[in-house]
Amino acid sequence: MDPIVIVGGDAAGMSAASKFKRERPERDVVVFEKGEYVSYAACGMPYYVKGDVESLDDLLTVSPEEFVEERGVDLRLHHEVVDVDPEAREVTVEGPDGRFTQPYDQVLIATGAHAVVPPFEGMDLEGVFTMHSLPEAEAVRDYLTAEAPEAVAVVGGGYVGIEMAEAFAAHEVEVHLFEMLPHVLAPFGETVAEAVEDHLREQGIHLHLDTAVERFVGDTRVTGVDVGDEVSDVDLALVGVGVAPNTELAEAAGVELGETGAIATDAYGRTSRAKVFAAGDCAEARHVVTGDPDHVPLALTANRAGRAIGQTMAGEETPVGDIAGTAVVKAFDLTAARTGVIDEDRAREAGFDPVSVTITAASRAHYYPGAEELTITLLGDRDSERVLGAAMVGREGVAKRIDTVAVALHEGATAHDLSYYDLAYAPPYSPVWDSVLTAAKVLDGKLG
């Protein structure tokens, strides 16, 4: 029988390969990866640039040698799949020794996503970077070390922008953050965004909100950022305005894309073409609140879907699971988190009648030293009284609490249900009535 073929060797691809080999050790799995790294922690790259992570090797979850020698995966680095033919059930590969075809029994497209490169003049200047791979992270850190810039521009106020602002600040350089929207972290809501912005300013970050970058200035090396009426002098620029799914290979194979622009899949990761699966940052998943396809490129989503597809390919159909878009971001001493639907307009578009509440509570018992303020926005549906989503910001305890709401979303819990969750209590960790329970009580009262 022809082998299982996997295109892409990061989270989704290697999770699928590993799971399939555990279930069917007698079968062959071939993974084609065009780069030199597999199974690496891309989310750790800002902390490598900052210096919290010493070596790029520390970001490798499983080495290529382990996949080959211990897991029995036929892993081929520096091999790029340039065509998938669902009719012939074969892929065309370009490798160090030339072009060849590889037949397959089933194929998983796990081509990931790429950093969006805006059409700015000067993107090709020395000192202008994007960061969506380990070599790019290494290049940024090397440039910091070799060139010792005095001022850095970060373009984009999302996850990468916030984390990289902190990373650059650790090198004692002046940091300018440019965001074309009125607030950073737009998907987290205005309350969270404003708290983060205030904290960034306290840390010395120069915020340029509602400000669109027009071009980078310089002859061969970047020397400034032009926003139309002002030029800020910088010696390095990091562009982090989002990612887009890598769908070209799938499109050429006749695989249908969804409304989000990512690859459309069913509950098991199957695409519109027989024996062709897709997972990870290139693929859609179903949102647990709206029930609609969504594209939220996060690490757990990719790992979980890959593992499920590996099991399905091995003969036991396993759903890839719904997503809630649960995310958490460190911004210096603050933590911001979100899950589900927190934008009221989006909730209305999905057919809900949204009601929201915002509370501020203590992270610990009031008498226990070190208590910090924690702000929570909770959104619910007036008709069903179901919890739709939450956003939180504070100095401690945020990551734990957002997960509580994520569980409620997956259960379809009402605000009343959530207010009765039996959560852990001890003075160093929370008040008797945890802030999530308090927010749920307030929302329940407003819905009733």
Side-chain angles (χ1 to χ4, degrees), residues 151-193:
V152 171
V154 176
V155 181
Y159 308 118
V160 171
I162 298 298
E163 292 167 348
M164 286 305 298
E166 178 179 342
F168 287 133
H171 291 269
E172 298 183 350
V173 299
E174 184 178 292
V175 180
H176 294 262
L177 191 152
F178 297 85
E179 170 55 57
M180 66 182 298
L181 297 176
H183 293 289
V184 301
L185 295 177
F188 290 66
E190 189 171 312
T191 299
V192 170

Side-chain angles (χ1 to χ4, degrees), residues 152-407:
V152 171
V154 176
V155 181
Y159 308 118
V160 171
I162 298 298
E163 292 167 348
M164 286 305 298
E166 178 179 342
F168 287 133
H171 291 269
E172 298 183 350
V173 299
E174 184 178 292
V175 180
H176 294 262
L177 191 152
F178 297 85
E179 170 55 57
M180 66 182 298
L181 297 176
H183 293 289
V184 301
L185 295 177
F188 290 66
E190 189 171 312
T191 299
V192 170
E194 289 179 345
V196 171
E197 288 160 7
D198 288 344
H199 188 59
L200 291 175
R201 293 187 182 102
E202 290 172 0
Q203 299 298 319
I205 305 300
H206 301 278
L207 294 184
H208 305 263
L209 304 177
D210 215 2
T211 302
V213 171
E214 293 191 359
R215 67 189 182 106
F216 295 119
V217 178
D219 292 327
T220 59
R221 178 180 298 190
V222 64
T223 59
V225 179
D226 186 355
V227 297
D229 57 354
E230 182 183 8
V231 175
S232 298
D233 294 334
V234 300
D235 310 298
L236 185 157
L238 189 286
V239 179
V241 295
V243 300
N246 294 324
T247 60
E248 294 81 6
L249 190 67
E251 287 184 89
V255 172
E256 291 181 5
L257 304 186
E259 292 183 4
T260 69
I263 300 170
T265 60
D266 69 5
Y268 301 94
R270 297 188 181 94
T271 71
S272 60
R273 301 305 300 266
K275 302 287 187 176
V276 180
F277 295 78
D281 291 357
C282 64
E284 292 183 335
R286 194 181 79 149
H287 198 284
V288 71
V289 175
T290 66
D292 296 327
D294 203 353
H295 180 239
V296 184
L298 294 172
L300 177 59
T301 301
N303 279 278
R304 189 181 61 179
R307 185 179 189 277
I309 289 170
Q311 189 153 324
T312 296
M313 286 177 155
E316 183 180 344
E317 289 200 339
T318 305
V320 299
D322 293 341
I323 61 171
T326 309
V328 61
V329 178
K330 180 181 182 295
F332 290 92
D333 300 324
L334 278 186
T335 302
R338 67 175 305 277
T339 190
V341 176
I342 61 171
D343 181 76
E344 294 192 14
D345 289 337
R346 183 185 178 193
R348 292 187 188 95
E349 290 172 3
F352 298 110
D353 183 6
V355 175
S356 69
V357 298
T358 298
I359 69 151
T360 298
S363 62
R364 309 179 184 186
H366 71 277
Y367 54 83
Y368 193 88
E372 299 281 355
E373 281 193 348
L374 180 73
T375 300
I376 299 178
T377 296
L378 200 61
L379 191 71
D381 174 43
R382 188 181 303 278
D383 295 331
S384 65
E385 301 187 356
R386 177 184 170 191
V387 178
L388 302 180
M392 306 179 188
V393 64
R395 289 177 178 263
E396 67 170 11
V398 172
K400 167 201 171 186
R401 290 175 169 93
I402 201 67
D403 287 342
T404 302
V405 181
V407 170

Side-chain angles (χ1 to χ4, degrees), residues 33-44:
E33 167 54 47
K34 67 180 182 179
E36 59 182 303
Y37 295 102
V38 295
S39 193
Y40 63 89
C43 297

